Amino acid sequence: MCAGMLSPSFGYGTLSLMCLILPHCFGQITLYPNPATVIQGQTLKLTCQSAESGGNYQFYSLDTSMEKMNYGTAIGSFKNCNLGQHPNFIIECDFDNWIFNLTVSQPVHNQVIYCSRQRPSSSILSVRNTTIRVQGQDITLTPQNPAIVRKGQTLVLTCQSNQTSGLYTFFYINSEGNTILYAAVGGGFKSCSNNTNDAFTECDFGTPWKFKLTLLNPVHDQVVYCRRSGGGQDLKNSSTTIFVQVPVSSVTLSPSSSVEVFEGTSFTFRCVSKAARPPANITWYKDSVVVIGSSSISSTNNLLYDVTSNLTSSFQRTDNGKRIFCTAVNINGETPIQSARTELSVIYAPPVAPQLTADGFTSVDEGQSITLRCTLSTLGNPHITWNWVCGNDTLTTGVTNTGTQSVLTLTANRKYNQRTCQCRATSPRSSLSYNRTSATQINTVYYNNVITSNLDKEYVTSEHERLQIKCDVEGNPLSTITWLFVENDTVVKSDSNVDSSTLDISSANCLDYGSYKVTAENGKGPAAVRTTNVVVRCKPRLHYSASQTPNNLVIGSCDSLQILVRLLLYPPATLTQWTFIGKHNVSRVLHNNTDGYRITVAGEENEQNITLHKNRVYAEDFGNYTLMVQNDVGTFYGSHQVDTATPPLIPTNVTLDCGNPFSIKLSWISNFNGGDSQTFKISYSTVGNLSASFKDVEYIRDNGYGRLHSYTPSIELQGTVWFTVTAFNVLGKSTSDVLCTVTGIQESVENQIGVAVGSAVGIVTFIIIILVLVILLRRRYTFTCVIKLERKNIDKGINITDLTKAESSTPMPEHSVHLHGERGVYEELTETENGNQYESLSTKDEQDSERQTYEDPLLKISEDKRQRSQGQIDFEIKRRYIIMDFRSEGGQDQHSIPSK
């Protein structure tokens, strides 16, 4: 490959070296004079030409870092002659003869100038160079002309001579012709100082001498001289002209935001770069693609360049939405400054009228949907507007515009039967003259029923009165009319194949209060629905379907008290009052936030929730609490008896299985907890049943009233062992004990045969006895283990010497109790003659007999409460107990048991 024919990817330094080695490679172009000799202070003209026409030419040089410095370009395809970045070089182009001249106003000694030519449609370069020789210099000042520096930066000038003597001065000549001294250095004393604050000097008195002048604020176009005098030598000068680069700071594009252009019509954009040096090169882009065909004009203002570039082009609809912008840069290596981006809005219209199609059937029942669709290949710009006309109506509802389609979802109405529908597309730009309609579509509609009655928003009636509400329906076929009570989502009446239906409430009551929804449907569309409200005036009464606080409460002293009463009534209460009767039957009215009581009343419509709360109760707070609620219709009275809690009752059915020496099992059934949560303590003794000899081994939580509990000791036991089960709460405790003899391991093995034989005989005998008892006696008996158990109430000193007799002769469900005091007044639900259930006041008399059936109190607790934690269950039990006497064979003690 010829050294003068080189791909642009090679470095310029490599290119220069190769062409110096093989000078015959540059035959295609010539650059002369070579070498270029010029007298100091004169201009130099270089000529580059080729025997071939066409191609792109460029003058340039390489700096010390081998970076290209462009002095001018000639683009053959457009025949453009462009200046470079340095004003000391001027290019002239003769495209007729393909001769290009470069005039250098301030030649630099030993500078190498290159001329390159790139052939059309080829990446191969032809390059020639020449070296400038400036006569009359024996000192040099670098950087050579021009001395380029960026605005705001310092400039270092170096003056070097081939001598080691003389006085060297740095100076410039101002506009008035006066010499202004920067520094004077050297001389016999080898001084090194500056004469101004605008610069400072550095001196190297080696061989030869070298001096540096750093200008802190370089001035554009200023000529700085370095002069050597003295030492018997002639006066020698070297100079350089300062070129201060001012980078592009901003680029202005107009229009700057968005612009509308009609399709196929030319439009001109303008891009301006101001106050830069050298002049900026402006490049145009459409999105990320370079756009060619622009023209630029530059002008100077205070030694700075303003460049204006115009781009004139016509645009198509495919350019719609694209963005036009320009960039400007005037210094090699700098990032181009980008202008704002202008979005193109190309104005055009659709080419044809919209096409109408139907999605599905166009013969439907009233209320069903008919879907019509209009389609265009493009909506144009700006987008056309859609309009739908059915019959005489211009429709705006049910219209959905998506992409290039408009869809009408028409809810069929009898007025559209046998009427036509069509769409219209109109461009908002009148200059486009686009206003086109589609073909027509005829629709057939079958109609649905409607409710013609004007139902009142609200009907007001009184308790026990009759209320009738009639609903008339028009439709074909006949309808099914349904009345729904919204409050509990219950259908109260339904009539089929009718055109009217009447809701008949023969005797209104409080529970009839609420909203009623009537629905009519005949299978020809959506159901017709109306809603009305029924208001029943009734006196206050208990809301039995909602949870209430029991009428009898058992709580501990210092516990909190809360009574919740839920009522049905309308209109709302005019008077709500709590009355308390305590000791000595003294009655007093309770007031909110007085004596620690807090009374709240909440509710809505015909329901009212009344709460009486006290954080802590004492002995004087136990007694009867009566609530009175009054409205315009009547008055309600409700009573709650609140009594104190007691220590827990003794656990029952305490059993100790000690036959297996490897597994001893203690079990018992929990008794009433006294109105407070109880805990069981397991203790044992091997030396006797004195209380001081027992050791506590386990604490077990109560699982609820009447529940079986068990415990297996983890300690090794043998011989006679006493166990106690103690139930205790914050008010006291009660204890049951049991003992047995634990058989050793060896003894147990020796007796295995005897035990087996005895067990078989015992089982046969037991079966015979059971059969005899069932057939002859027809009575229930309770049999227990032959182990003799001892029960003792440690706290009360009450003993039951024979648990077998006590438990077998009187089963648990038959224990007798005695009520203390009279029961309070309760409201109960009774049945009146007309079939409506309402409350009446009644007083329950004291029981004639002192003994009554004792029932499990946990039957009063709802199933969901059984699943709660132990603390919650104890809380519910505590609120459901009343004071009773527990009479047993061993003595009499007062305990609290649950109320029925």
Side-chain angles (χ1 to χ4, degrees), residues 362-366 370 390-391 410-421 441-447:
T362 57
S363 296
V364 296
D365 294 334
E366 186 176 29
I370 297 175
C390 288
L410 177 67
T411 301
N413 188 290
R414 64 191 67 181
K415 68 178 181 178
Y416 297 133
N417 186 36
Q418 296 302 309
R419 296 296 182 94
T420 61
C421 293
Q441 174 65 52
I442 299 177
N443 303 313
T444 301
V445 179
Y446 305 99
Y447 69 93

Side-chain angles (χ1 to χ4, degrees), residues 554-560 617-618 622 643-646 675-676 731 878:
V554 177
I555 59 177
S557 181
C558 298
D559 283 351
S560 64
V617 297
Y618 301 98
F622 292 99
D643 294 308
T644 185
T646 65
D676 191 22
L731 301 174
K878 180 168 64 178

